Amino acid sequence: MMEGFVPALAAFMEDHRIWVLVLSWAIVSVGLLQTLTYLLQLPTAWFELRKHSQAGDTETSWQMLTSAGVAPPMSLLVPAYNEEAVIVQSVRSMLTLEYPEIEVIVVNDGSKDNTLQAMIDGFELRRVARVHERRVKHAQVRGVYGSPLYPRLVLIDKANGGKADAINAGINFSRCPLFCVGDADSLLEAQALLSAARPFMEDPERVVAVGGTIRVVNGCEVKAGRVTKVALPRRFLPLVQTMEYIRAYLMARLALSRWGALTIISGAFGIFRRDVALEVGGFSHGTVGEDLEIILKMHRHLSDQKRDFAMRFVPEPVCWTEAPESLRILGNQRKRWERGALEGFFKHKDMLFNPRYGNIGKVAFPLSLITDVLGPIVEVLGYLLIPIFWLLGMLSLQFLLAFTALVFVIGVFISACSLVLEEMELKRVPRARDLLILIGVA
């Protein structure tokens, strides 16, 4: 059967040679565009990182940041669903964050375990009345809790509605001009909020959203909700993700921030202006990419109103999160990310190449088209067709090996340069041995 199949396939390819060539060049072109994007992002990220480094905090500027009345009051919103094991320790850590005026609002999103009771017992909470506006939609609130022992802590107990719904409830109950969205199982560094809030102090009229860096906590030592010793993961999958996160945040998001084309601020660590979030109706229900969706809604809304605004990524503040250690969990995470990216792209597809939306339409959406929409399809086609072309003699072995080697070398080069940026400016990898391991991972 195979003896007749190969000649038939070869004859088909020969009869449709023009389409084979078009498809082949399409595969190569998309790959080259992705690579060109990375090569442009590298120097852009370096210039942006140097700007942050040169604006380093002097003692005077740090005193300004920590002074009450200078840093805008902030609500830290913490959606919690079945977080009984970690919620109390996590909230205690959040209550000790270095920020002049902060309230921590934990939203129990209909947990089926003892998350609610763990909070009540851990902080001696009792039911209280709290005046609030129902500006954005969310599921029914069953109770609000507080304690005179912890005046900056509020617990909202509500029916289950998902993460976006829980955040909306927190927005309604918050009383501060800024709010930060966090995860119950993530760890913020002590000064992370101060560093991330700095763009709001420097440009309060224009800045509407700021994101910080996400790093992999696997392998690190954690005590009392703080990372006390930074180390690399011992397992392969989170180790690879450590390298991936360095590339994604230190290179891609820094560059997009400088270009004014930032379309996502991580749902684990993002700060937003409350008034703008309310204007766009809060976080959207029924989407798996609520962190991407609210940023796109803000871009659309503010651009349609022709308002001057900015969104920033700040590399210094870090939120530590646990990376998946199994292929099943990693696969589910990446499918969710890809679904969110596709939902956001097609819901707002009219922004593509639309000059009305500035660099979001001219830069961010074309990049999304290449990497999120066309990229997966083209990659699969490449994996399937390139070997077939070679077997049928339509692609020379020398070209295949040379092109493959070039792709690998560029990939390693980009990862290595990301590590150089890390070591030159932030120095978050403390040991030279760990840097060598990450080079090997690249």
Side-chain angles (χ1 to χ4, degrees), residues 50-336:
R50 288 294 296 166
K51 185 181 76 172
H52 282 279
S53 176
Q54 291 167 0
D57 294 322
T58 63
E59 184 177 352
T60 302
S61 64
W62 189 252
Q63 289 175 351
M64 178 196 75
L65 286 174
T66 55
S67 300
V70 176
M74 186 186 304
S75 300
L76 178 54
L77 310 184
V78 188
Y81 178 73
N82 293 347
E83 302 285 358
E84 175 187 1
V86 299
I87 189 64
V88 172
Q89 179 175 317
S90 179
V91 172
R92 289 191 190 280
S93 172
M94 293 174 187
L95 289 170
T96 62
L97 292 172
E98 297 179 12
Y99 199 84
E101 296 183 58
I102 184 175
E103 60 176 0
V104 178
I105 301 179
V106 180
V107 184
N108 178 45
D109 189 38
S111 297
K112 296 179 180 178
D113 64 0
N114 289 322
T115 298
L116 175 63
Q117 195 59 47
M119 283 291 299
I120 292 173
D121 295 341
F123 296 98
E124 300 182 34
L125 301 177
R126 58 173 182 255
R127 282 183 175 268
V128 296
R130 184 179 175 95
V131 178
H132 68 282
E133 298 178 286
R134 191 177 174 86
R135 298 281 299 278
V136 290
K137 294 180 180 179
H138 57 77
Q140 180 184 5
V141 172
R142 299 182 293 211
V144 181
Y145 297 80
S147 169
L149 298 177
Y150 302 92
R152 295 186 296 134
L153 175 62
V154 177
L155 171 64
I156 301 169
D157 180 40
K158 61 178 285 293
N160 180 258
K163 183 175 181 179
D165 192 84
I167 297 172
N168 284 345
I171 294 174
N172 278 339
F173 278 85
S174 67
R175 295 175 175 173
C176 301
L178 301 180
F179 69 86
C180 174
V181 178
D183 283 339
D185 57 354
S186 296
L187 305 174
L188 286 171
E189 292 187 344
Q191 299 174 348
L193 292 183
L194 268 174
S195 297
R198 183 164 189 158
F200 291 101
M201 305 178 218
E202 295 174 339
D203 194 357
E205 297 298 323
R206 296 179 66 248
V207 176
V208 298
V210 171
T213 299
I214 307 296
R215 299 296 288 264
V216 174
V217 76
N218 307 51
C220 300
E221 288 186 8
V222 178
K223 294 181 181 179
R226 290 281 184 268
V227 175
T228 57
K229 181 181 179 181
V230 177
L232 294 182
R234 296 178 181 85
R235 292 192 171 187
F236 178 72
L237 282 181
L239 188 59
V240 172
Q241 292 169 79
T242 299
M243 185 68 252
E244 178 190 27
Y245 277 40
I246 291 175
R247 274 182 54 158
Y249 285 92
L250 271 188
M251 184 183 73
R253 296 203 184 177
L254 258 179
L256 292 173
S257 177
R258 186 177 181 89
W259 291 339
L262 197 62
T263 57
I264 185 169
I265 288 175
S266 174
F269 185 23
I271 302 178
F272 305 85
R273 261 179 48 184
R274 183 175 181 266
D275 59 338
V276 178
L278 289 173
E279 288 178 25
V280 300
F283 283 68
S284 298
H285 295 75
T287 177
V288 295
E290 68 279 337
D291 47 358
L292 170 68
E293 173 65 11
I294 192 168
I295 295 299
L296 294 178
K297 288 198 301 183
M298 285 183 170
H299 276 294
R300 176 184 289 277
H301 172 73
L302 295 171
S303 296
D304 286 344
Q305 292 192 343
K306 297 182 179 180
R307 287 160 62 176
D308 187 18
F309 69 97
M311 298 184 186
R312 299 277 186 256
F313 169 75
V314 184
E316 292 88 354
V318 171
C319 173
W320 296 90
T321 189
E322 189 168 359
E325 295 190 346
S326 73
L327 286 172
R328 181 182 62 83
I329 297 175
L330 179 64
N332 290 335
Q333 180 196 65
R334 298 313 164 98
K335 283 187 284 187
R336 187 173 68 252

Side-chain angles (χ1 to χ4, degrees), residues 374-403:
L374 299 177
I377 299 172
V378 168
E379 285 183 33
V380 171
L381 286 174
Y383 295 143
L384 293 175
L385 296 179
I386 296 300
I388 293 176
F389 293 164
W390 171 67
L391 286 171
L392 295 177
M394 304 180 71
L395 182 67
S396 71
L397 178 60
Q398 291 81 2
F399 176 83
L400 177 60
L401 293 177
F403 186 78

